[in-house]
Amino acid sequence: MSLPSCWRFPLTLVPVQTTPRFNQRYPTSSSSRRSRASVQAQLDLTVPDDGSNDNKKVKKVVVVGSGWAGLGAAHHLCNQGFDVTVLETTDTGLDDVGVHGYYYPYRNIFSLVDELEIKPFTNWTKFAQYSSEGLEVEFPVFQGLPQLPTPLGTLYYSQFVQLPLVDKLTALPLTAAVIDFDNTDTAWRKYDSITARELFKQFGCSVKLYQKVLAPLLQVGLFAPAEQCSAAATLGLLSYILAHQKDFDLVLCHGTTREKIFKPWIESMTTKGCKFEKGASVTDLLLNEETGCISEVVCGKEMFSADAVVLAVGISTLQKLVENSAVLCTREEFVKVSNLDTIDVLSVKLWLDRKVNIPNPSNACSGFDDSFGWSFFDLNAIHDDHKDSTETVLQADFYRANELLVLTDKQIVAKVTSYLSNCIKDFENATVINKEIGRFPKSSTHFFPGSYKYMIRGSTSFPNLFMAGDWIITRHGSWLQEKSYVTGLEAANRSVDYLEEGSFAKIIPVEEDEPHIQTLRSLNRSFNDIKAQLPLSSYFLQ
């Protein structure tokens, strides 16, 4: 597998007696306190050396959270010489629950892996989608096939078992909505008020296309049924993973994310002086009334002083913090987070007494129950630890699993094995000999209709407090794990900008649209500009 090479930009920092003058730097999608109007390229900070600042105090940054977002922020800040402390929360098991695949557009994550000089991923792999009626579609490795204009390649090469051509063609009008959605604030507000189901209905998708392809995709991509998903989030996800034919290709991790990626990553940061506090539960933040900045992060009886703070936590964790914090509950942006919602996830790992032939290592499933979607993974084909096992080892993850969390382990195993047998008949002849069941209530982001107006941006009303995570508003355009990591880098850049030390992280942008999509987007923007100037254009409900 060829992964993008890592971008690295050296920092030359030489102290002087006078206040340093910051040259133009490389702009990212992060907002900035300093003017960036004339920025054309990233330049190093270089000032004369007279040795007067040799004993300069190292500024402290506290990062709350140790997932993709938190580690991404800590990694860059540590490389810039800051005194970084990562407060690790107790929900680390979530790293390997939900979306297991790493898609082709994850350019920043692949760059990080190259930088760390690790090889955690499989080759590009096929994957499948099942319903209660059996196999629905197999997705090939698209980059190895002749390239067709978007979205023709995805529709043509995907091997639909039960979907007629006429139903596939009803997906084409949906391209107009994808073109209209350009990830701006205007686009989000326009589409966030309607459901994904209403969007598909408006653009003429057939019932079969909806039931067998689109609805299942959302149940495992946004973790909720289409009637409970924001149309804006849906278009954002589709724009990202279907922008090019090869973008739907994925690799899988040879073990758990924490074991194969996070562990060596953390070890690398530790050797550079980054400190990790395990099991830390943040209870409050302290405010410096004079500066209006966060001065300390409180973990029970322990306090961590900070010149800058990055909150890289999930919605439910932040909601609890806001509820208990005398500081955060005074700010409207944080109070509004209480309106956001999360999704329950159930993870079931099973050992079977015999080898079952599972055609594809990664499989998405829907149609067994309208309230939840699920996926299962052949760990014998994916994980190094199970590749030589004589038993079948698999993991099944269920999303929006409210009604499943209350079941006993025995009931859960019975339900999972029944579902697996519907997908692959050979499961009927296997017996479960061991199990691991993880219940993760309120663990994943729910992008429900109308949720956008409650979400937080990367910068906050506290000058030195920055946000990161897959639910944070960003204009980068990425989703899932890549979005979490990118927002971590953006938070690091905001910290660098605020502290006025160090250089910015190079954030690799999403690949440009194909020429015909760029042309259509340009025409669409011109049409919208003309329409906005017409009389009564804002009178009617949009």
Side-chain angles (χ1 to χ4, degrees), residues 132-369:
S132 57
E133 300 175 5
L135 179 65
E136 292 288 350
V137 57
E138 282 189 310
F139 298 99
V141 178
F142 290 99
Q143 58 193 287
L145 300 169
Q147 300 297 295
L148 298 177
T150 296
L152 299 181
T154 306
L155 291 173
Y156 180 72
Y157 293 123
S158 298
Q159 300 169 22
F160 296 94
V161 177
Q162 304 182 50
L163 189 69
L165 175 62
V166 65
D167 291 281
K168 288 194 286 185
L169 294 177
T170 64
L172 293 178
L174 188 61
T175 306
V178 175
I179 289 170
D180 189 44
F181 183 85
D182 57 3
N183 201 40
T184 60
D185 183 73
T186 300
W188 269 90
R189 294 184 183 279
K190 175 180 179 179
Y191 287 100
D192 190 55
S193 60
I194 63 174
T195 69
R197 187 185 187 284
E198 186 64 24
L199 174 75
F200 298 146
K201 178 182 175 182
Q202 287 181 8
F203 283 87
C205 296
S206 74
V207 173
K208 281 191 174 181
L209 178 70
Y210 173 76
Q211 293 178 341
K212 295 182 178 297
V213 180
L214 297 175
L217 176 65
L218 294 188
Q219 284 190 310
V220 297
L222 294 179
F223 308 134
E227 63 270 18
Q228 297 179 24
C229 289
S230 157
T234 299
L235 290 171
L237 179 64
L238 293 177
S239 298
Y240 183 57
I241 64 174
L242 298 176
H244 308 83
Q245 178 179 303
K246 60 192 175 185
D247 285 351
F248 212 34
D249 287 345
L250 59 79
V251 294
L252 300 161
C253 192
H254 279 303
T256 65
T257 300
R258 186 150 291 270
E259 172 197 6
K260 295 295 184 179
I261 302 177
F262 287 3
K263 183 179 178 181
W265 194 7
I266 289 172
E267 289 173 352
S268 172
M269 284 187 275
T270 301
T271 61
K272 299 175 184 178
C274 185
K275 298 180 286 293
F276 290 84
E277 298 289 337
K278 295 185 177 180
S281 180
V282 177
T283 53
D284 205 351
L285 305 174
L286 297 186
L287 181 68
N288 184 319
E289 297 290 350
E290 294 183 1
T291 63
C293 295
I294 302 299
S295 59
E296 291 184 280
V297 178
V298 182
C299 294
K301 296 182 180 180
E302 193 170 5
M303 297 186 181
F304 298 87
S305 60
D307 296 296
V309 177
V310 175
L311 284 182
V313 296
I315 290 173
S316 60
T317 300
L318 183 60
Q319 287 173 336
K320 292 178 183 177
L321 180 57
V322 173
E323 183 180 348
N324 297 318
S325 173
V327 173
L328 296 182
C329 69
T330 63
R331 304 299 171 98
E332 183 181 9
E333 66 207 291
F334 287 97
V335 173
K336 284 186 174 182
V337 172
S338 300
N339 294 305
L340 294 175
D341 197 9
T342 50
I343 290 170
D344 297 344
V345 178
L346 174 71
S347 178
V348 182
K349 187 174 180 180
L350 298 178
W351 284 258
L352 307 180
D353 64 346
R354 58 186 297 276
K355 273 292 184 69
V356 174
N357 180 30
I358 304 175
N360 297 286
S362 176
N363 306 274
C365 307
S366 67
F368 296 81
D369 189 300

Side-chain angles (χ1 to χ4, degrees), residues 487-499:
T487 58
L489 295 179
E490 290 178 340
N493 284 349
R494 291 184 173 103
S495 300
V496 166
D497 193 46
Y498 170 77
L499 297 172

Side-chain angles (χ1 to χ4, degrees), residues 14-252:
V14 192
V16 292
Q17 288 182 329
T18 58
T19 302
R21 177 175 61 84
F22 282 73
N23 295 328
Q24 296 173 340
R25 302 189 186 188
Y26 182 87
T28 71
S29 51
S30 307
S31 62
S32 172
R33 292 188 305 117
R34 298 194 291 274
S35 173
R36 305 294 175 85
S38 60
V39 174
Q40 298 176 352
Q42 174 173 336
L43 301 179
D44 293 332
L45 169 62
T46 308
V47 289
D49 180 13
D50 66 0
S52 62
N53 285 336
D54 290 341
N55 297 320
K56 184 177 180 180
K57 178 183 176 183
V58 178
K59 293 180 179 179
K60 297 181 178 181
V61 182
V62 173
V63 178
V64 183
S66 58
W68 279 108
L71 294 181
H75 174 73
H76 182 71
L77 293 170
C78 182
N79 285 343
Q80 302 312 304
F82 293 104
D83 181 352
V84 180
T85 298
V86 178
L87 304 181
E88 296 191 81
T89 56
T90 57
D91 57 355
T92 55
L94 289 173
D95 302 324
D96 295 289
V97 174
V99 179
H100 290 238
Y102 292 78
Y103 289 93
Y104 189 91
Y106 285 15
R107 303 167 77 184
N108 290 280
I109 286 181
F110 292 149
S111 177
L112 168 71
V113 166
D114 284 349
E115 178 186 345
L116 296 175
E117 298 182 341
I118 58 177
K119 297 184 181 297
F121 298 129
T122 65
N123 294 324
W124 301 105
T125 183
K126 298 189 299 180
F127 60 103
Q129 184 173 298
Y130 290 87
S131 72
S132 57
E133 300 175 5
L135 179 65
E136 292 288 350
V137 57
E138 282 189 310
F139 298 99
V141 178
F142 290 99
Q143 58 193 287
L145 300 169
Q147 300 297 295
L148 298 177
T150 296
L152 299 181
T154 306
L155 291 173
Y156 180 72
Y157 293 123
S158 298
Q159 300 169 22
F160 296 94
V161 177
Q162 304 182 50
L163 189 69
L165 175 62
V166 65
D167 291 281
K168 288 194 286 185
L169 294 177
T170 64
L172 293 178
L174 188 61
T175 306
V178 175
I179 289 170
D180 189 44
F181 183 85
D182 57 3
N183 201 40
T184 60
D185 183 73
T186 300
W188 269 90
R189 294 184 183 279
K190 175 180 179 179
Y191 287 100
D192 190 55
S193 60
I194 63 174
T195 69
R197 187 185 187 284
E198 186 64 24
L199 174 75
F200 298 146
K201 178 182 175 182
Q202 287 181 8
F203 283 87
C205 296
S206 74
V207 173
K208 281 191 174 181
L209 178 70
Y210 173 76
Q211 293 178 341
K212 295 182 178 297
V213 180
L214 297 175
L217 176 65
L218 294 188
Q219 284 190 310
V220 297
L222 294 179
F223 308 134
E227 63 270 18
Q228 297 179 24
C229 289
S230 157
T234 299
L235 290 171
L237 179 64
L238 293 177
S239 298
Y240 183 57
I241 64 174
L242 298 176
H244 308 83
Q245 178 179 303
K246 60 192 175 185
D247 285 351
F248 212 34
D249 287 345
L250 59 79
V251 294
L252 300 161

